[in-house]
Amino acid sequence: WAKKIDLTTGRPVFAEEGAYFNRPNEHVEVWPGMVGAHNWHAMSFSPVTGLTYITSNELPSIFEAVGGAWGVRADLQGYPDGEIPAVTGVLQAWDPLAGKARWSVPLALPYNGGVLSTAGNLVFMGTAAGDFSAYAADSGQPLWSFKTGTAIQSAPVTFSHDGEQYVVIPAGFGGGTRLYSTSLSATADARGPSRLLAYK
């Protein structure tokens, strides 16, 4: 709904093309959609790299001004031709001082797990496709991956015990979006058993 922030006034500059309420009975595609961009999934900041690691959802919504009590119809799947665009996700390393992405990794599906960054220059995260992976925190280079067979939406944690460092991740299919959205539930989510996985 906004093109940018006016740095003089601090106010958003309205994007007229997103004013679906001024275009009755017309389908207006809005990116990101109602459940697009970053959601509740945990992000992580590394004081080592100075970067923030964020997962986000690349998916739109269709808005239509229809009058009535609510005045709008919004739908993730309401494309007139029935074709839903590819919905994906991304893991991104964001530089908060420069205000731009340092690196990003495309993900096959949206609604992936939260992120953990460690002092050892690692970023861990799980995906909706069931992969639990480690990346180089400074460059985004893939370093390791394990196919769990179960979609992951939680964030990993790390701890040490008897001189060994562990990384633990809850794995399990779920979430309200997957329960109500046929466009997401039709994708190739991994639906293995829910369990807690630990690595060292």
Side-chain angles (χ1 to χ4, degrees), residues 11-156:
R11 297 182 60 82
V13 177
F14 187 68
E16 290 292 340
E17 59 271 22
Y20 59 87
F21 41 82
N22 291 332
R23 296 152 66 180
N25 302 314
E26 181 180 341
H27 293 86
V28 180
E29 182 178 292
V30 178
W31 290 79
M34 296 178 295
V35 291
H38 178 68
N39 211 295
W40 58 266
H41 307 90
M43 52 188 190
S44 180
F45 173 77
S46 170
V48 177
T49 62
L51 301 176
T52 300
Y53 304 93
I54 307 168
T55 59
S56 63
N57 308 308
E58 302 290 323
L59 64 163
S61 290
I62 290 294
F63 288 85
E64 180 184 5
V66 294
W70 289 95
V72 63
R73 182 179 72 82
D75 195 348
L76 177 65
Q77 308 162 92
Y79 282 78
D81 57 6
E83 289 190 17
I84 303 167
V87 292
T88 62
V90 64
L91 168 64
Q92 187 174 83
W94 184 261
D95 186 331
L97 297 181
K100 62 182 180 181
R102 183 79 62 83
W103 56 260
S104 64
V105 175
L107 304 169
L109 298 171
Y111 285 90
N112 299 284
V115 186
L116 167 71
S117 56
T118 73
N121 194 42
L122 296 175
V123 170
F124 290 94
M125 74 159 297
T127 71
D131 300 302
F132 185 52
S133 303
Y135 303 88
D138 57 356
S139 67
Q141 178 184 352
L143 301 175
W144 170 86
S145 187
F146 182 84
K147 289 206 167 289
T148 69
T150 302
I152 298 171
Q153 291 186 276
S154 296

